[in-house]
Amino acid sequence: MKWCMLGRISAESYSFDQRFYPHSSDRFALCFFRDPDVVSSLSRQMTAEAWMPLDKPVVSVDVEPVPCTQVSMELFDPIYSCGVLRPSGHVVKCFHDVYPDYDELRQMLQEEDSEHYYVVGREERGEFLFRLFKHLCLGGELCQYEDTIDPYISTTKQIYKDLISAQKDPETKKISVVSTVFKVCAYDESGQCYPGRRDEEQTFAYLIVDPFKRHVTLFYHCYGVGNFTL
């Protein structure tokens, strides 16, 4: 609610009955958005102000594979020692020409010319874990930003654990991610239709596939003004 995402962010899980092949993600995503049960489910979830219902058949999809290998929160360690945060964990405020209430964390996440942008490497920034963290930090249209990093980190960790499946190798005891993640955008005959009619960084949809349990989770958010009541 505080981040203005309540009522606009959700995760819907479905089961499927055929073997999943990562190299066929495009076909999988197209079949997903054409499935009558999926279309019906999404249409029930969508409200007029937050979502564009799938009222026309999906004719094509864009699929972007998203790396997902992280099994700990170590990826964020550099943020704690680069000047973005104070030793207490409080986010350092900074001046910005456009945003009156700005900070070094959002600048590091959004602006490539920030001195802290590459504190987290390019490869790590592409990881689903980092993308999730960034989405939560930027929030919705009337986001009330946190003074400390802890709420962002703890919420990212919890959602990531809920969305991603991992397994331990019985011999090496090493834990690895088994989920396949890809970012999706669907199109009908009129153009882009899901997760929104127009491009917006904070309007996103990810398909997260567990190939062993044959479960797929659609994790999505539509940028705008969220609910302020439960």
Side-chain angles (χ1 to χ4, degrees):
M1 186 188 299
K2 184 177 180 183
W3 301 338
C4 202
M5 302 174 91
L6 184 64
R8 289 180 167 267
I9 191 168
S10 186
E12 302 288 330
S13 292
Y14 307 84
S15 60
F16 54 95
D17 57 7
Q18 297 183 28
R19 190 169 181 179
F20 171 76
Y21 297 96
H23 63 270
S24 300
S25 296
D26 290 62
R27 177 169 175 74
F28 181 90
L30 185 58
C31 291
F32 177 84
F33 283 109
R34 285 178 171 176
D35 184 90
D37 291 330
V38 172
V39 172
S40 174
S41 173
L42 294 183
S43 297
R44 287 197 304 270
Q45 293 294 326
M46 295 175 180
T47 59
E49 66 274 10
W51 303 100
M52 298 298 294
L54 299 177
D55 51 0
K56 298 178 182 178
V58 170
V59 297
S60 66
V61 292
D62 279 342
V63 172
E64 175 196 347
V66 176
C68 186
T69 64
Q70 301 296 312
V71 293
S72 75
M73 303 296 283
E74 293 178 1
L75 179 152
F76 300 107
D77 288 352
I79 298 177
Y80 287 84
S81 57
C82 68
V84 169
L85 305 174
R86 303 195 186 282
S88 62
H90 283 74
V91 181
V92 176
K93 301 292 183 181
C94 66
F95 174 78
H96 195 277
D97 292 334
V98 178
Y99 305 107
D101 179 25
Y102 207 53
D103 57 59
E104 294 285 358
L105 179 59
R106 277 180 284 156
Q107 189 174 60
M108 183 274 288
L109 292 173
Q110 293 179 287
E111 300 184 17
E112 198 163 350
D113 58 356
S114 164
E115 63 177 302
H116 304 302
Y117 187 85
Y118 287 108
V119 165
V120 178
R122 186 181 298 275
E123 187 174 321
E124 287 76 14
R125 291 179 76 98
E127 284 275 342
F128 180 62
L129 178 62
F130 187 86
R131 294 185 187 214
L132 176 58
F133 173 75
K134 181 178 178 180
H135 286 313
L136 294 178
C137 288
L138 299 182
E141 191 171 344
L142 299 178
C143 180
Q144 300 176 59
Y145 301 103
E146 299 290 339
D147 293 325
T148 68
I149 195 173
D150 290 349
Y152 298 129
I153 292 291
S154 60
T155 307
T156 298
K157 182 178 181 179
Q158 185 60 58
I159 294 177
Y160 188 75
K161 287 177 65 178
D162 287 345
L163 294 176
I164 300 301
S165 299
Q167 67 179 13
K168 180 185 288 187
D169 187 297
E171 295 182 1
T172 65
K173 307 302 181 183
K174 183 180 179 181
I175 299 174
S176 60
V177 174
V178 299
S179 299
T180 296
V181 181
F182 39 98
K183 192 174 183 179
V184 291
C185 183
Y187 300 82
D188 60 24
E189 61 183 16
S190 301
Q192 182 175 313
C193 64
Y194 189 88
R197 287 288 182 190
R198 56 189 176 85
D199 288 331
E200 161 59 52
E201 184 179 17
Q202 284 294 91
T203 295
F204 56 80
Y206 296 93
L207 283 177
I208 302 150
V209 182
D210 183 329
F212 300 109
K213 294 181 179 179
R214 292 187 176 179
H215 290 170
V216 56
T217 298
L218 176 64
F219 177 61
Y220 51 87
H221 174 251
C222 183
Y223 180 76
V225 179
N227 297 335
F228 288 104
T229 56
L230 293 174

